[in-house]
Amino acid sequence: MRCLINEHQIAQRIGELAAEISRDYSGKPLTLVGVLTGSLVFVADLMRRIELPHKITLLQASSYRGTATTPAKLQLTLDLLPSLVGRDVLLVDDILDTGQTLSTLVAEMHRRNAISVKTAVLLWKKARTTAAIVPDYVGFEIPDQFVVGYGLDFNDEHRHLPYIGVVE
Ligand code: IMP
Ligand code: MG
């Protein structure tokens, strides 16, 4: 395992993102919607640095990737979501890769009549993004490498690592 982004760098960048979010959503009815399971650690750290009253809720998204030629099949579990009517929604995910997950979720939040829908991701693999989506808050742009740790997994392992690493 090679460390790509260490604990200190993550904490510092999350402080900057939280400050930006606190400025942008001042006076607004903000709800963070965390995308399980990968955003677990990120959302927990981010919410504690946002200096505004806000609500938190969670949903689950998993994409099953078959062969390289078949698009990933997205499975959503939305049972935990409360009404988002009248709320400014900020979707929080660990990583934006092809963009399929977040573009689908943005449409779903609009369908639920949120006032506004934006996205915050810790990592963005910009070169791989094919969906028509540009994240509003980005921790770090990273190259096309498979990363784990700080919530991100390979086969449901390595999520507990406190840093972002590359499996070699
Ligand atoms: P997208 O729908 O292709 O943008 O995929 C986003 C999801 O794929 C993320 O929420 C992650 O769960 C997973 N993912 C994409 N790249 C990586 C990676 O490098 N490591 C771990 N999970 C990843
Ligand atoms: Mg995910």
Side-chain angles (χ1 to χ4, degrees):
M1 193 78 64
R2 179 171 57 83
C3 177
L4 185 67
I5 306 169
N6 69 35
E7 276 181 79
H8 175 74
Q9 293 169 306
I10 296 171
Q12 159 132 19
R13 186 70 188 118
I14 288 178
E16 293 167 0
L17 292 177
E20 230 183 293
I21 292 166
S22 303
R23 270 198 308 276
D24 294 351
Y25 286 91
S26 173
K28 294 186 174 172
L30 172 63
T31 296
L32 299 186
V33 178
V35 182
L36 293 173
T37 306
S39 77
L40 185 70
V41 186
F42 179 39
V43 79
D45 282 347
L46 183 67
M47 65 192 255
R48 287 179 290 173
R49 307 283 297 268
I50 295 176
E51 293 175 336
L52 289 177
H54 63 279
K55 296 185 181 180
I56 320 284
T57 185
L58 298 164
L59 57 80
Q60 186 163 36
S62 21
S63 24
Y64 296 99
R65 284 160 209 279
T67 65
T69 50
T70 54
K73 195 162 180 253
L74 187 64
Q75 191 169 309
L76 300 179
T77 309
L78 305 169
D79 306 347
L80 293 174
L81 285 182
S83 166
L84 297 172
V85 176
R87 306 295 301 178
D88 287 291
V89 167
L90 181 59
L91 281 161
V92 181
D93 206 354
D94 51 358
I95 186 164
L96 187 99
D97 183 25
T98 66
Q100 197 207 0
T101 306
L102 278 179
S103 57
T104 303
L105 288 175
V106 166
E108 179 63 27
M109 299 300 108
H110 281 302
R111 207 181 64 74
R112 288 169 182 249
N113 293 315
I115 296 177
S116 71
V117 185
K118 287 189 178 187
T119 55
V121 294
L122 182 65
L123 307 172
W124 187 16
K125 282 188 197 169
K126 196 175 181 177
R128 278 180 49 86
T129 304
T130 49
I133 183 166
V134 175
D136 298 286
Y137 304 94
V138 179
F140 304 90
E141 280 184 28
I142 61 166
D144 182 8
Q145 285 174 317
F146 197 85
V147 291
V148 296
Y150 199 77
L152 292 118
D153 73 304
F154 173 66
N155 210 5
D156 259 325
E157 291 189 80
H158 311 299
R159 292 195 197 274
H160 67 284
L161 296 174
Y163 58 89
I164 305 284
V166 179
V167 189
E168 301 203 298

